[in-house]
Amino acid sequence: MRKILIVGSGQSGLQLALSLQEHGYDVTVMSARTPDEIRAAWVTSTQCMFADALAIERAHGLNLWDDVAPRVAGQGLSMAGPDGERALNWIASWDGGPAQSIDQRVKMATWLELFEERGGNVVIHGVTTADLNGLAKLYDLVVVAAGKGELVQLFDRDASRSPYTVPQRKLSVSYVHGQEARPERPGTTDVWMNFIPGVGELINIPGYTLSGPCDIFFVAGLPGGPFDAFADRPPAAEQLRRHLELFRQYIPWEYERAKNAELTDGKAVLVGGYPPVVRHPVGELPSGAFVLGMADVVVANDPITGQGSNNAAKCAESYLGSILENEDRPFDRTWMQATFDRYWEHAQWVTKFTNAMLQPPPPHVQQILGAAQSNPKVAKRFVNGFNNPTDFQHWLFDPAKAEEFLASV
């Protein structure tokens, strides 16, 4: 039986571990925290998984929250005008089905317990490069899925695929209860992206947390601007107060819904920011052994397009296929590079889309966003691109292709 070590207990690491279990592999997961410690920790992300990524989870029997989590029906977009009104305001539903957002404190703690219940080996221990150097010889393959910490330094930055060297957004998050329903969409739950030119974005995500259904305020501020107001890492209640004050000033239609919201728990906030980066996928340990980077370790996009957990699921599924197809052959450096290249065929378009969204939209994209206001076909294709960003290569990225598409609808 082939032995595989996965370092990291996030979306990609645990999904790969659980899916390898299905195929009889001897899998060990190293996690820095126990399930109870994960549940008791601070919020770690703003995950929103779309239909294709959810289908992967369902194929592996990992869809444990379908009966309790909000079914996120569609995706709306508003753009603030200079007078505080909405210069753009439209919505479309996803063709593939609803999205879903599960607090990773809930999901990862449960999946880690599930992996162990099914006979998986769990080691609770933070891992250094020195640790990994000694452990690697005990396994046929070592996968690094811990996107933070010392191990990431094993993987060199790929400058040719990484246009940014500093964070493009300063991020702050609050999980809340008590937000009122969107008046123009009674009885529905939607992701809503609010763009404030020159300031940043508020993305409102219906989610599911430790205490049940909730809403997530994901605020992305341009560095140095009004939304970049959390560098002092205020107490949780103060962070929410500042969020609401920013909504009142810059997004009044969202403030009216959110003004009575309360935090879901004392650790329901997050502050951060990082430069988007693509890294080379193969790391070499001092012993000369090679390890394979996965998901955020090798492709870390800004979360503005909500692709992090989706990428993690798709990366884990792609790596699973490469591992199964390799059968009894060695997991050498050539195989590791080919495994990443296969995933990059998808991830390159996610990276291109996300990096583009960090800049002011060029004229042809402005035209598309404006056309979506009155043409549902345009709105629907743009929204469906969040589920499958590879489609954007066929129309959104190229002005001539965009013009051709707009002329056809």
Side-chain angles (χ1 to χ4, degrees):
M1 183 184 298
R2 309 206 79 181
K3 297 181 65 176
I4 296 179
L5 173 64
I6 298 173
V7 181
S9 54
Q11 173 78 39
S12 65
L14 284 173
Q15 182 186 307
L16 180 60
L18 285 156
S19 56
L20 283 169
Q21 270 187 331
E22 295 179 65
H23 296 276
Y25 284 74
D26 181 353
V27 185
T28 296
V29 169
M30 296 196 73
S31 172
R33 296 179 296 181
T34 68
D36 285 344
E37 288 171 340
I38 293 171
R39 291 190 181 94
W42 293 87
V43 159
T44 59
S45 70
T46 57
Q47 67 295 313
C48 182
M49 298 188 68
F50 305 105
D52 288 358
L54 291 174
I56 294 170
E57 290 188 356
R58 292 181 181 121
H60 295 298
L62 302 177
N63 54 317
L64 308 181
W65 296 273
D66 285 355
D67 294 337
V68 294
R71 294 168 56 85
V72 187
Q75 183 169 336
L77 183 147
S78 296
M79 183 171 292
D83 56 359
E85 298 298 318
R86 282 179 274 194
L88 288 178
N89 186 44
W90 51 260
I91 185 168
S93 58
W94 291 294
D95 290 337
Q100 185 183 91
S101 173
I102 308 297
D103 185 341
Q104 294 212 337
R105 296 178 298 178
V106 174
K107 179 188 269 188
M108 299 313 142
T110 303
W111 276 9
L112 188 56
E113 290 170 338
L114 181 63
F115 173 71
E116 194 163 27
E117 288 168 7
R118 292 178 176 176
N121 306 308
V122 176
V123 178
I124 306 298
H125 196 279
V127 184
T128 66
T129 300
D131 296 329
L132 205 55
N133 197 47
L135 290 168
K137 62 179 179 289
L138 304 177
Y139 297 89
D140 296 300
L141 171 65
V142 175
V143 179
V144 178
K148 299 176 182 176
E150 177 184 319
L151 295 185
V152 176
Q153 303 309 314
L154 289 169
F155 306 92
D156 294 334
R157 177 174 177 268
D158 185 342
S160 68
R161 292 169 170 170
S162 305
Y164 302 117
T165 57
V166 297
Q168 300 299 296
R169 293 291 188 276
K170 296 299 181 69
L171 312 173
S172 57
V173 174
S174 296
Y175 279 49
V176 302
H177 290 312
Q179 179 168 245
E180 296 178 11
R182 195 171 294 281
E184 68 271 33
R185 297 273 295 173
T188 65
T189 53
D190 306 299
V191 167
W192 212 278
M193 303 185 70
N194 296 276
F195 292 92
I196 307 95
V199 174
E201 298 85 18
L202 162 65
I203 303 172
N204 197 307
I205 307 168
Y208 182 85
T209 186
L210 300 163
S211 50
C214 66
D215 282 281
I216 303 170
F217 300 152
F218 170 36
V219 175
L222 272 67
F227 279 15
D228 179 8
F230 304 91
D232 59 341
R233 297 182 179 272
E238 170 61 12
Q239 178 164 317
L240 176 59
R241 189 198 69 76
R242 292 185 197 177
H243 272 168
L244 295 178
E245 177 58 22
L246 291 170
F247 300 169
R248 188 187 66 78
Q249 290 184 49
Y250 294 97
I251 328 167
W253 58 89
E254 294 290 359
Y255 174 74
E256 288 303 315
R257 301 177 56 229
K259 60 186 178 183
N260 296 319
E262 298 179 347
L263 291 170
T264 60
D265 58 89
K267 294 185 176 179
V269 297
L270 172 67
V271 174
Y274 55 86
V277 64
V278 178
R279 296 188 178 91
H280 294 288
V282 184
E284 184 173 359
L285 295 168
S287 65
F290 296 112
V291 296
L292 175 63
M294 182 164 68
D296 282 357
V297 172
V298 287
V299 182
N301 291 311
D302 189 283
I304 189 174
T305 55
Q307 297 296 314
S309 56
N310 295 275
N311 264 2
K314 292 173 183 176
C315 185
E317 184 71 356
S318 179
Y319 280 21
L320 172 67
S322 296
I323 291 169
L324 298 181
E325 291 169 13
N326 201 44
E327 298 181 336
D328 295 327
R329 291 183 286 273
F331 296 112
D332 56 19
R333 181 168 196 155
T334 300
W335 176 85
M336 291 181 180
Q337 183 65 52
T339 294
F340 173 79
D341 291 345
R342 178 180 184 174
Y343 166 60
W344 181 248
E345 287 298 312
H346 168 83
Q348 63 176 309
W349 303 112
V350 181
T351 296
K352 183 169 183 174
F353 171 52
T354 304
N355 286 344
M357 290 287 284
L358 293 170
Q359 299 299 321
H364 75 280
V365 175
Q366 294 180 33
Q367 188 178 5
I368 287 168
L369 297 179
Q373 179 98 333
S374 57
N375 190 325
K377 291 182 179 179
V378 179
K380 184 173 278 291
R381 189 165 186 185
F382 184 81
V383 164
N384 275 297
F386 283 77
N387 177 49
N388 178 20
T390 65
D391 180 55
F392 288 135
Q393 65 183 300
H394 302 302
W395 69 291
L396 185 71
F397 296 145
D398 181 83
K401 291 180 180 178
E403 182 178 358
E404 181 181 354
F405 168 66
L406 290 176
S408 70
V409 295

